[in-house]
Amino acid sequence: MNLNKIVKISLAVLSAVAVILWLQLPSSDAPVGEAVDSGAVHWMFMIVYLLLAVAVLFSVFFALKHMFANPQGLKRTLIGLAAFIVVIGLSYVLSDGSDGTVETMAGRGVNTTESVVKNIGTGLNMFFLLVIIAIGAMLWGGVKKMIK
C-alpha cells in the first residue's frame, strides 16, 4: 500500500470521527462551563493538536531534508540563525525590568516580577528590531532595483 492511500484512508477516518464529534457538541444555549467540559470539545481539540503536530513534523522534516541536501542553503540558514540569535541577545540587553512597571502593575492588581517584565520587553524589542530590519531590507531592495 502506498503512502497516498494511507493518507487518504487516515483523512477519511479523521473526517468521520470529526463529524460524529460535531454532532455531539452541546447546543448553543448550553452554559459555557458545560460546553467547555464537553467530551466532544475535548476530543475535537485532540484531533486538531494531532493534525497540527503532524503538519509541524512533516514541515520540519522536509525543510531539514532540503537544507542538508543543499550545502549552500545550510550555510545561509546557519547565518540567518546566528543573526536571529544576535537580535534576541540585543533585545534582551535593551530591555529593562526595573522601570517601574512592576509597581504599576501591582497597583492594578496584576502580580508580576521584574523577570517577567524583562521578558515582555525583550519580546517587544525583538518585534521592533525585526520590523526595522524588514523595512530596511525592502528599502535596500527597492534602491538596488532603482540603481540598476
mmCIF file of all heavy atoms in Angstrom, residues 108-132:
data_model
loop_
_atom_site.group_PDB
_atom_site.id
_atom_site.type_symbol
_atom_site.label_atom_id
_atom_site.label_comp_id
_atom_site.label_asym_id
_atom_site.label_seq_id
_atom_site.Cartn_x
_atom_site.Cartn_y
_atom_site.Cartn_z
ATOM 1 N N ARG A 108 -2.462 47.882 39.918
ATOM 2 C CA ARG A 108 -3.676 47.492 39.175
ATOM 3 C C ARG A 108 -4.150 46.095 39.538
ATOM 4 O O ARG A 108 -5.103 45.591 38.956
ATOM 5 C CB ARG A 108 -3.403 47.554 37.676
ATOM 6 C CG ARG A 108 -3.132 48.951 37.190
ATOM 7 C CD ARG A 108 -2.893 48.971 35.717
ATOM 8 N NE ARG A 108 -2.624 50.329 35.274
ATOM 9 C CZ ARG A 108 -2.210 50.640 34.071
ATOM 10 N NH1 ARG A 108 -2.017 49.692 33.179
ATOM 11 N NH2 ARG A 108 -1.990 51.887 33.750
ATOM 12 N N GLY A 109 -3.442 45.443 40.455
ATOM 13 C CA GLY A 109 -3.863 44.124 40.907
ATOM 14 C C GLY A 109 -3.260 42.978 40.115
ATOM 15 O O GLY A 109 -3.682 41.841 40.259
ATOM 16 N N VAL A 110 -2.275 43.258 39.260
ATOM 17 C CA VAL A 110 -1.624 42.212 38.472
ATOM 18 C C VAL A 110 -0.309 41.863 39.148
ATOM 19 O O VAL A 110 0.562 42.706 39.312
ATOM 20 C CB VAL A 110 -1.367 42.690 37.019
ATOM 21 C CG1 VAL A 110 -0.646 41.608 36.231
ATOM 22 C CG2 VAL A 110 -2.657 43.093 36.354
ATOM 23 N N ASN A 111 -0.185 40.605 39.539
ATOM 24 C CA ASN A 111 1.001 40.146 40.239
ATOM 25 C C ASN A 111 2.065 39.762 39.205
ATOM 26 O O ASN A 111 1.870 38.854 38.413
ATOM 27 C CB ASN A 111 0.654 38.941 41.109
ATOM 28 C CG ASN A 111 1.609 38.786 42.256
ATOM 29 O OD1 ASN A 111 2.504 39.607 42.443
ATOM 30 N ND2 ASN A 111 1.421 37.732 43.028
ATOM 31 N N THR A 112 3.207 40.455 39.191
ATOM 32 C CA THR A 112 4.267 40.174 38.221
ATOM 33 C C THR A 112 5.628 40.394 38.852
ATOM 34 O O THR A 112 5.726 40.890 39.968
ATOM 35 C CB THR A 112 4.091 41.046 36.956
ATOM 36 O OG1 THR A 112 5.005 40.614 35.973
ATOM 37 C CG2 THR A 112 4.296 42.501 37.245
ATOM 38 N N THR A 113 6.678 40.001 38.136
ATOM 39 C CA THR A 113 8.046 40.153 38.630
ATOM 40 C C THR A 113 8.886 40.902 37.601
ATOM 41 O O THR A 113 8.465 41.079 36.458
ATOM 42 C CB THR A 113 8.691 38.776 38.892
ATOM 43 O OG1 THR A 113 8.781 38.077 37.648
ATOM 44 C CG2 THR A 113 7.886 37.957 39.889
ATOM 45 N N GLU A 114 10.085 41.294 38.021
ATOM 46 C CA GLU A 114 10.983 42.003 37.109
ATOM 47 C C GLU A 114 11.383 41.130 35.930
ATOM 48 O O GLU A 114 11.533 41.613 34.813
ATOM 49 C CB GLU A 114 12.235 42.484 37.844
ATOM 50 C CG GLU A 114 12.015 43.724 38.662
ATOM 51 C CD GLU A 114 13.316 44.301 39.201
ATOM 52 O OE1 GLU A 114 14.389 44.050 38.606
ATOM 53 O OE2 GLU A 114 13.251 45.012 40.216
ATOM 54 N N SER A 115 11.578 39.828 36.172
ATOM 55 C CA SER A 115 11.983 38.949 35.075
ATOM 56 C C SER A 115 10.877 38.817 34.026
ATOM 57 O O SER A 115 11.160 38.756 32.829
ATOM 58 C CB SER A 115 12.390 37.572 35.593
ATOM 59 O OG SER A 115 11.286 36.904 36.163
ATOM 60 N N VAL A 116 9.615 38.788 34.463
ATOM 61 C CA VAL A 116 8.501 38.729 33.516
ATOM 62 C C VAL A 116 8.454 40.006 32.684
ATOM 63 O O VAL A 116 8.302 39.968 31.457
ATOM 64 C CB VAL A 116 7.163 38.506 34.256
ATOM 65 C CG1 VAL A 116 5.983 38.679 33.324
ATOM 66 C CG2 VAL A 116 7.132 37.136 34.896
ATOM 67 N N VAL A 117 8.628 41.158 33.331
ATOM 68 C CA VAL A 117 8.621 42.439 32.620
ATOM 69 C C VAL A 117 9.800 42.498 31.648
ATOM 70 O O VAL A 117 9.664 42.972 30.519
ATOM 71 C CB VAL A 117 8.653 43.611 33.623
ATOM 72 C CG1 VAL A 117 8.844 44.932 32.920
ATOM 73 C CG2 VAL A 117 7.370 43.627 34.447
ATOM 74 N N LYS A 118 10.959 41.984 32.065
ATOM 75 C CA LYS A 118 12.133 41.975 31.183
ATOM 76 C C LYS A 118 11.883 41.077 29.971
ATOM 77 O O LYS A 118 12.250 41.425 28.854
ATOM 78 C CB LYS A 118 13.376 41.533 31.936
ATOM 79 C CG LYS A 118 14.644 41.659 31.115
ATOM 80 C CD LYS A 118 15.859 41.613 31.994
ATOM 81 C CE LYS A 118 17.140 41.707 31.206
ATOM 82 N NZ LYS A 118 17.510 43.037 30.804
ATOM 83 N N ASN A 119 11.249 39.925 30.170
ATOM 84 C CA ASN A 119 10.942 39.028 29.053
ATOM 85 C C ASN A 119 9.945 39.673 28.087
ATOM 86 O O ASN A 119 10.077 39.532 26.864
ATOM 87 C CB ASN A 119 10.410 37.694 29.553
ATOM 88 C CG ASN A 119 11.486 36.860 30.202
ATOM 89 O OD1 ASN A 119 12.674 37.076 29.976
ATOM 90 N ND2 ASN A 119 11.079 35.915 31.019
ATOM 91 N N ILE A 120 8.953 40.351 28.621
ATOM 92 C CA ILE A 120 7.983 41.042 27.766
ATOM 93 C C ILE A 120 8.691 42.147 26.988
ATOM 94 O O ILE A 120 8.470 42.314 25.783
ATOM 95 C CB ILE A 120 6.818 41.601 28.601
ATOM 96 C CG1 ILE A 120 5.983 40.459 29.168
ATOM 97 C CG2 ILE A 120 5.949 42.535 27.763
ATOM 98 C CD1 ILE A 120 4.954 40.873 30.191
ATOM 99 N N GLY A 121 9.565 42.882 27.649
ATOM 100 C CA GLY A 121 10.342 43.918 26.974
ATOM 101 C C GLY A 121 11.231 43.331 25.883
ATOM 102 O O GLY A 121 11.382 43.920 24.805
ATOM 103 N N THR A 122 11.804 42.167 26.154
ATOM 104 C CA THR A 122 12.627 41.503 25.149
ATOM 105 C C THR A 122 11.793 41.168 23.914
ATOM 106 O O THR A 122 12.222 41.401 22.784
ATOM 107 C CB THR A 122 13.246 40.219 25.732
ATOM 108 O OG1 THR A 122 14.069 40.560 26.851
ATOM 109 C CG2 THR A 122 14.072 39.484 24.699
ATOM 110 N N GLY A 123 10.605 40.636 24.135
ATOM 111 C CA GLY A 123 9.726 40.308 23.005
ATOM 112 C C GLY A 123 9.344 41.541 22.206
ATOM 113 O O GLY A 123 9.347 41.518 20.966
ATOM 114 N N LEU A 124 9.012 42.621 22.895
ATOM 115 C CA LEU A 124 8.663 43.860 22.190
ATOM 116 C C LEU A 124 9.856 44.420 21.421
ATOM 117 O O LEU A 124 9.722 44.839 20.264
ATOM 118 C CB LEU A 124 8.134 44.895 23.185
ATOM 119 C CG LEU A 124 6.766 44.597 23.782
ATOM 120 C CD1 LEU A 124 6.462 45.571 24.908
ATOM 121 C CD2 LEU A 124 5.699 44.652 22.714
ATOM 122 N N ASN A 125 11.026 44.422 22.059
ATOM 123 C CA ASN A 125 12.224 44.905 21.377
ATOM 124 C C ASN A 125 12.551 44.056 20.149
ATOM 125 O O ASN A 125 12.938 44.574 19.105
ATOM 126 C CB ASN A 125 13.420 44.941 22.323
ATOM 127 C CG ASN A 125 13.298 46.042 23.350
ATOM 128 O OD1 ASN A 125 12.572 47.004 23.167
ATOM 129 N ND2 ASN A 125 14.011 45.899 24.450
ATOM 130 N N MET A 126 12.396 42.731 20.276
ATOM 131 C CA MET A 126 12.624 41.857 19.128
ATOM 132 C C MET A 126 11.677 42.205 17.990
ATOM 133 O O MET A 126 12.083 42.281 16.828
ATOM 134 C CB MET A 126 12.408 40.384 19.517
ATOM 135 C CG MET A 126 13.615 39.707 20.046
ATOM 136 S SD MET A 126 13.310 37.967 20.406
ATOM 137 C CE MET A 126 12.659 37.372 18.882
ATOM 138 N N PHE A 127 10.411 42.391 18.318
ATOM 139 C CA PHE A 127 9.422 42.745 17.302
ATOM 140 C C PHE A 127 9.832 44.023 16.584
ATOM 141 O O PHE A 127 9.859 44.081 15.351
ATOM 142 C CB PHE A 127 8.036 42.896 17.941
ATOM 143 C CG PHE A 127 7.005 43.428 17.001
ATOM 144 C CD1 PHE A 127 6.458 42.615 16.019
ATOM 145 C CD2 PHE A 127 6.590 44.745 17.083
ATOM 146 C CE1 PHE A 127 5.506 43.108 15.138
ATOM 147 C CE2 PHE A 127 5.637 45.250 16.214
ATOM 148 C CZ PHE A 127 5.093 44.425 15.239
ATOM 149 N N PHE A 128 10.169 45.056 17.346
ATOM 150 C CA PHE A 128 10.524 46.333 16.736
ATOM 151 C C PHE A 128 11.797 46.226 15.902
ATOM 152 O O PHE A 128 11.883 46.781 14.808
ATOM 153 C CB PHE A 128 10.661 47.420 17.804
ATOM 154 C CG PHE A 128 9.368 47.743 18.498
ATOM 155 C CD1 PHE A 128 9.312 47.843 19.873
ATOM 156 C CD2 PHE A 128 8.192 47.919 17.779
ATOM 157 C CE1 PHE A 128 8.112 48.130 20.512
ATOM 158 C CE2 PHE A 128 6.996 48.210 18.406
ATOM 159 C CZ PHE A 128 6.954 48.317 19.781
ATOM 160 N N LEU A 129 12.812 45.512 16.415
ATOM 161 C CA LEU A 129 14.047 45.341 15.651
ATOM 162 C C LEU A 129 13.794 44.579 14.346
ATOM 163 O O LEU A 129 14.324 44.939 13.291
ATOM 164 C CB LEU A 129 15.100 44.615 16.483
ATOM 165 C CG LEU A 129 15.823 45.448 17.528
ATOM 166 C CD1 LEU A 129 16.715 44.557 18.388
ATOM 167 C CD2 LEU A 129 16.667 46.511 16.854
ATOM 168 N N LEU A 130 12.979 43.522 14.416
ATOM 169 C CA LEU A 130 12.694 42.753 13.201
ATOM 170 C C LEU A 130 11.880 43.568 12.199
ATOM 171 O O LEU A 130 12.075 43.439 10.987
ATOM 172 C CB LEU A 130 11.994 41.441 13.558
ATOM 173 C CG LEU A 130 12.877 40.426 14.286
ATOM 174 C CD1 LEU A 130 12.054 39.228 14.737
ATOM 175 C CD2 LEU A 130 14.043 39.986 13.416
ATOM 176 N N VAL A 131 10.982 44.425 12.682
ATOM 177 C CA VAL A 131 10.239 45.309 11.777
ATOM 178 C C VAL A 131 11.201 46.280 11.104
ATOM 179 O O VAL A 131 11.123 46.504 9.885
ATOM 180 C CB VAL A 131 9.116 46.057 12.529
ATOM 181 C CG1 VAL A 131 8.575 47.212 11.710
ATOM 182 C CG2 VAL A 131 7.994 45.100 12.881
ATOM 183 N N ILE A 132 12.109 46.860 11.872
ATOM 184 C CA ILE A 132 13.089 47.792 11.305
ATOM 185 C C ILE A 132 13.963 47.085 10.272
ATOM 186 O O ILE A 132 14.228 47.616 9.186
ATOM 187 C CB ILE A 132 13.941 48.433 12.429
ATOM 188 C CG1 ILE A 132 13.080 49.384 13.254
ATOM 189 C CG2 ILE A 132 15.160 49.144 11.866
ATOM 190 C CD1 ILE A 132 13.727 49.846 14.539
#
